[in-house]
């Protein structure tokens, strides 16, 4: 694999899951839990220092350039931290999507330059809202030959196990 190229490596469906504890307690995000999930992941090497790669990947101003709309699925138009919050574990931010929806996100783990994990619940618009009710993203940064290895995984909480074929 060439550095800087990402390879998808896993897609799976799992059974009943609990929301992360932060979602269970935070009415601003919502406490609805998915009964089925759809997970995907990608990994790649980036030939730059790990601290630099982590800072670039977690810089909210880069999200609109890297997470663009595809087909019926919205991309990110902007990200804003809630007033008084810095990017840290427990922080909240609003993710403004290109379809006009706004997702309330909670930072579950922020450990530079190793890990960045976040989740959201509710707020998605049609047609995405027919399939997905929540999402949890996880970025892991480890040292590897050729530069840091990034493993990005994402788990969507499905509205129903019947949504799986469409996710």
């Amino acid at each position: 694999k060439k550095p800087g190229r990402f390879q998808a490596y896993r897609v799976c469906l799992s059974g009943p899951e609990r929301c992360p504890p932060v979602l269970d307690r935070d009415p601003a995000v919502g406490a609805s839990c998915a009964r089925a999930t759809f997970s995907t992941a990608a990994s790649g090497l980036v030939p730059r220092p790990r601290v630099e790669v982590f800072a670039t990947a977690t810089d909210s101003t880069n999200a609109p350039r890297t997470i663009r709309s595809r087909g019926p699925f919205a991309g990110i138009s902007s990200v804003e931290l809630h007033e008084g919050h810095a990017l840290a574990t427990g922080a909240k931010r609003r993710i403004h999507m290109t379809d006009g929806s706004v997702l309330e996100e909670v930072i579950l783990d922020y450990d530079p330059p190793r890990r960045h994990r976040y989740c959201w619940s509710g707020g998605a618009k049609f047609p995405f809202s027919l399939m997905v009710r929540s999402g949890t993203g996880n970025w892991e940064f480890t040292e590897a030959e050729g530069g840091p290895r990034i493993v990005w995984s994402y788990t969507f909480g499905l509205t129903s196990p019947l949504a799986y074929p469409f996710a």
Side-chain angles (χ1 to χ4, degrees):
K1 296 175 191 170
K2 293 182 177 180
R5 307 282 317 234
F6 282 82
Q7 300 289 323
Y9 69 86
R10 182 186 64 197
V11 175
C12 64
L13 176 69
S14 65
E17 293 215 355
R18 287 199 32 81
C19 292
V22 173
L23 282 180
D24 285 341
R25 291 191 308 267
D26 191 342
V29 174
S32 61
C33 293
R35 300 203 182 268
T37 61
F38 175 85
S39 296
T40 187
S43 68
L45 294 174
V46 180
R48 306 290 302 168
R50 182 166 68 157
V51 171
E52 180 183 325
V53 172
F54 184 90
T56 299
T58 59
D59 180 346
S60 297
T61 62
N62 292 326
R65 288 190 304 270
T66 57
I67 303 175
R68 300 181 208 168
S69 59
R70 293 225 165 128
F73 302 103
I76 293 178
S77 58
S78 68
V79 177
E80 65 183 73
L81 283 163
H82 285 221
E83 188 176 325
H85 284 252
L87 188 54
T89 300
K92 297 175 188 171
R93 57 187 182 180
R94 286 183 188 89
I95 311 300
H96 297 266
M97 307 301 287
T98 55
D99 66 358
S101 61
V102 179
L103 306 176
E104 294 292 328
E105 190 176 82
V106 175
I107 307 301
L108 300 173
D109 192 6
Y110 185 75
D111 183 18
R114 295 172 215 31
R115 187 174 192 204
H116 175 58
R117 186 169 173 251
Y118 50 90
C119 66
W120 61 269
S121 180
K125 284 194 173 180
F126 179 85
F128 200 57
S129 62
L130 294 176
M131 300 176 287
V132 175
R133 71 172 64 186
S134 64
T136 301
N138 187 51
W139 295 72
E140 296 280 346
F141 300 79
T142 57
E143 292 295 340
E145 188 177 329
R149 173 170 299 286
I150 303 171
V151 176
W152 172 79
S153 59
Y154 209 94
T155 300
F156 293 99
L158 301 179
T159 56
S160 162
L162 299 175
Y164 177 74
F166 305 104

